[in-house]
Amino acid sequence: MRGKLYGIGVGVGNPNQLTLKAINTLKKLDVVVVPEAKKDEGSTAYSIVKDYLKEGVEVIFMEFPMLKNPNDRIESRKTNTQLIEKILNSGKDIGFLTIGDPMTYSTYIYILENIDSKVRVETIAGISSFADISSRLNIPLVIGDESLKIVSLNSKVDIKKEIETADNIVFMKISRDFERLKLALIETGNINNVVLVENAGKEKQKIFYEIEKLEQKDIHYFSTMILKKGGMEQWKRSIS
Amino acid sequence: MRGKLYGIGVGVGNPNQLTLKAINTLKKLDVVVVPEAKKDEGSTAYSIVKDYLKEGVEVIFMEFPMLKNPNDRIESRKTNTQLIEKILNSGKDIGFLTIGDPMTYSTYIYILENIDSKVRVETIAGISSFADISSRLNIPLVIGDESLKIVSLNSKVDIKKEIETADNIVFMKISRDFERLKLALIETGNINNVVLVENAGKEKQKIFYEIEKLEQKDIHYFSTMILKKGGMEQWKRSIS
């Protein structure tokens, strides 16, 4: 019988964020696919799950290169999907790992997009990076009737409009366009309503509530910002 | 020593969505507070965690009534917070449970809002309802440079504007204003870009891709909708 594909969210950086469902699935896999797109992603994901894999499991580190040409990216995803289908056809069950949640900005989605619609698929939710950060800092994402928006920052985003149309915003990938983000926060009166977290959950984690003095060159690749238009001050507390 | 307050996300409806961190915390609690706001919320949360609590743990079902007068609501939250502080002052550690994620539309946030800023607090992220639904259905929430918005539906929401300004939207509490939502989806050409899930994860779960024929009276209280403006058709697959 053809194998089954599991998309598994492994949380952010620590095995204790794995769910029981993820652990029970990891234990029975024949093959684990560890995607490598962002820096350190593969090794982090593998280090989270390695103690739960059965003996003799096959581990495949699979590259999803950030190719400039969109057609090349699409081709590379198709090639990776074909490799996965080939393994499934040999009767093996595959777990495809995702840092965070598999349905939130993951490479796993590119496999889902391309894979034969008759393949059996099961996706196992994980703690997303923004859920992790907000809990870690005791800062609510969204309350009552408020709205929450998740924005992946890039030069095409109309930042002021985003700020205007949501109560709370998580800005991901802020290193791509930090100066423009900072300016928009200043101009909309929100410069003190944010927290910036660098390397969330890692030993070298840094938290900034005062970001006005920060410049583009200070912004690490792994940085996320939460904006609370209702105010950030009241949520600042020491973390224990 | 004063006790510590843990806000614990327990996922949606099934113990296998608990994280290891949540389980390890549950095991050491002296007191568990189970909030009761929405229907069945308390009994569902308790049934998820009960096998992980230590013997002799004190379980408190705490009401957060949906009072019409905002001042009454605020007072009731303050009273509940005072009760929690009193228990903490007696040296006991408390776990406050949240269905889903504690930082996403939870009653736990009302405790955080009111509690003495010197109380030690630790929040443990959980799988949110929308993360659960998207994985359960193998439907991505957000991909590439897209944006994701979470909207709690009510009569004040400008639905068309929400649809205009995000690539993917999770509409929560859609039973509050379904007819207006349906009309906005029709008028913006998105009526076939949605999935509606009733009682997600429960035995009586229902999934609707064709919602045009549904009326207000058909919409269950526990219903959530995902809109993908890029199209829903390609993500439909049988669930295994």
Side-chain angles (χ1 to χ4, degrees):
Chain A
M1 192 176 156
R2 205 181 200 184
K4 184 170 172 182
L5 173 64
Y6 295 90
I8 306 175
V10 303
V12 184
N14 191 314
N16 73 13
Q17 273 190 340
L18 287 168
T19 65
L20 291 181
K21 194 172 182 185
I23 288 172
N24 292 334
T25 306
L26 288 166
K27 283 178 179 168
K28 63 183 183 185
L29 299 172
D30 305 308
V31 178
V32 173
V33 174
V34 190
E36 302 199 280
K38 301 165 209 145
K39 195 173 156 248
D40 297 335
E41 187 186 40
S43 56
T44 304
Y46 181 67
S47 72
I48 292 172
V49 305
K50 66 179 186 331
D51 290 347
Y52 299 100
L53 302 174
K54 73 180 180 193
E55 219 171 307
V57 66
E58 188 181 344
V59 180
I60 299 173
F61 286 84
M62 186 173 272
E63 270 200 69
F64 286 77
M66 302 286 201
L67 301 166
K68 277 195 181 152
N69 182 331
N71 289 328
D72 292 346
R73 278 205 299 273
I74 289 168
E75 273 315 304
S76 133
R77 291 166 191 166
K78 282 189 179 160
T79 308
N80 282 336
T81 306
Q82 281 160 8
L83 178 58
I84 285 174
E85 283 179 350
K86 203 174 147 190
I87 298 168
L88 292 169
N89 289 342
S90 75
K92 292 177 179 168
D93 288 339
I94 300 181
F96 190 103
L97 306 187
T98 299
I99 297 277
D101 175 61
M103 288 315 196
T104 309
Y105 298 116
S106 81
T107 46
Y108 167 67
I109 301 171
Y110 301 128
I111 302 297
L112 263 190
E113 226 175 359
N114 288 293
I115 205 159
D116 178 356
S117 65
K118 290 186 294 295
V119 165
R120 287 173 303 140
V121 169
E122 185 173 341
T123 309
I124 296 163
I127 304 296
S128 65
S129 66
F130 54 86
D132 171 70
I133 289 174
S134 68
S135 275
R136 196 178 290 282
L137 272 56
N138 297 311
I139 294 170
L141 286 171
V142 61
I143 182 171
D145 274 338
E146 291 178 355
S147 63
L148 168 66
K149 192 155 189 187
I150 318 296
V151 174
S152 176
L153 195 62
N154 65 69
S155 60
K156 280 175 253 165
V157 172
D158 184 340
I159 303 177
K160 279 194 190 173
K161 194 172 178 185
E162 298 292 2
I163 293 175
E164 199 183 289
T165 54
D167 303 310
N168 306 279
I169 305 181
V170 175
F171 287 103
M172 322 264 287
K173 306 196 178 172
I174 61 171
S175 69
R176 285 181 180 174
D177 210 353
F178 178 74
E179 292 295 341
R180 206 163 61 86
L181 174 58
K182 190 172 85 173
L183 193 65
L185 290 168
I186 293 170
E187 290 181 0
T188 60
N190 282 298
I191 194 73
N192 295 317
N193 293 335
V194 297
V195 63
L196 189 164
V197 189
E198 176 182 311
N199 281 308
K202 298 178 188 165
E203 266 182 45
K204 48 193 172 178
Q205 170 179 293
K206 288 185 190 167
I207 300 170
F208 303 91
Y209 287 102
E210 290 171 18
I211 68 148
E212 196 153 3
K213 281 172 233 153
L214 296 179
E215 295 172 27
Q216 181 68 50
K217 66 174 172 51
D218 305 319
I219 308 301
H220 190 276
Y221 178 78
F222 290 115
S223 297
T224 300
M225 184 185 282
I226 300 177
L227 162 62
K228 292 192 75 62
K229 278 162 68 184
M232 183 57 79
E233 190 59 36
Q234 61 181 310
W235 303 111
K236 291 181 194 171
R237 68 161 62 228
S238 59
I239 297 163
S240 56
Chain B
M1 192 176 157
R2 208 182 199 182
K4 184 171 173 181
L5 174 64
Y6 295 91
I8 306 175
V10 303
V12 184
N14 191 315
N16 73 13
Q17 273 189 340
L18 287 168
T19 65
L20 291 181
K21 194 172 181 187
I23 289 171
N24 293 334
T25 306
L26 288 165
K27 283 179 180 167
K28 63 184 182 183
L29 299 172
D30 305 308
V31 178
V32 172
V33 174
V34 190
E36 300 199 281
K38 299 164 210 144
K39 196 174 157 249
D40 296 336
E41 186 186 41
S43 57
T44 304
Y46 180 69
S47 73
I48 292 172
V49 306
K50 65 180 187 331
D51 290 347
Y52 299 100
L53 302 175
K54 74 179 179 194
E55 219 170 306
V57 66
E58 188 181 345
V59 180
I60 299 173
F61 286 84
M62 187 174 272
E63 270 200 70
F64 286 76
M66 302 287 201
L67 302 166
K68 277 194 182 151
N69 182 329
N71 289 328
D72 292 347
R73 277 206 301 273
I74 289 168
E75 273 315 303
S76 135
R77 290 166 191 167
K78 282 190 179 159
T79 308
N80 282 336
T81 307
Q82 280 159 8
L83 178 59
I84 285 174
E85 284 179 350
K86 204 174 145 187
I87 299 168
L88 292 169
N89 289 343
S90 75
K92 292 176 178 167
D93 288 340
I94 300 181
F96 191 104
L97 306 186
T98 299
I99 297 278
D101 175 61
M103 289 316 197
T104 310
Y105 298 117
S106 81
T107 47
Y108 167 68
I109 302 172
Y110 301 128
I111 302 296
L112 263 191
E113 228 176 356
N114 288 293
I115 205 158
D116 178 357
S117 64
K118 290 186 295 294
V119 166
R120 288 173 303 140
V121 169
E122 186 172 341
T123 309
I124 296 163
I127 304 295
S128 64
S129 66
F130 55 87
D132 171 68
I133 288 173
S134 68
S135 275
R136 196 176 291 282
L137 272 56
N138 297 313
I139 295 171
L141 286 171
V142 61
I143 182 170
D145 273 337
E146 291 178 355
S147 62
L148 169 67
K149 192 156 189 189
I150 319 296
V151 174
S152 175
L153 195 63
N154 65 70
S155 60
K156 280 174 252 165
V157 171
D158 184 341
I159 302 177
K160 280 195 191 171
K161 194 171 179 185
E162 298 293 1
I163 293 175
E164 199 184 292
T165 54
D167 303 309
N168 306 278
I169 305 181
V170 176
F171 287 104
M172 323 264 286
K173 306 196 179 171
I174 60 170
S175 69
R176 284 182 180 174
D177 210 352
F178 178 73
E179 291 297 341
R180 207 163 60 86
L181 174 58
K182 189 173 84 173
L183 193 65
L185 290 168
I186 293 170
E187 291 181 1
T188 60
N190 283 298
I191 194 71
N192 294 317
N193 293 335
V194 298
V195 64
L196 189 163
V197 190
E198 177 183 311
N199 282 307
K202 297 177 189 165
E203 266 182 45
K204 48 192 172 178
Q205 170 179 293
K206 287 185 190 166
I207 301 170
F208 303 91
Y209 287 101
E210 290 170 18
I211 68 150
E212 196 153 1
K213 282 172 234 152
L214 297 180
E215 295 173 26
Q216 180 69 47
K217 65 174 173 52
D218 305 319
I219 308 301
H220 190 277
Y221 178 78
F222 290 116
S223 297
T224 300
M225 184 185 282
I226 300 177
L227 162 62
K228 294 193 74 63
K229 278 162 67 184
M232 182 59 77
E233 190 58 36
Q234 62 182 310
W235 303 111
K236 292 181 194 171
R237 68 161 60 228
S238 58
I239 297 162
S240 55

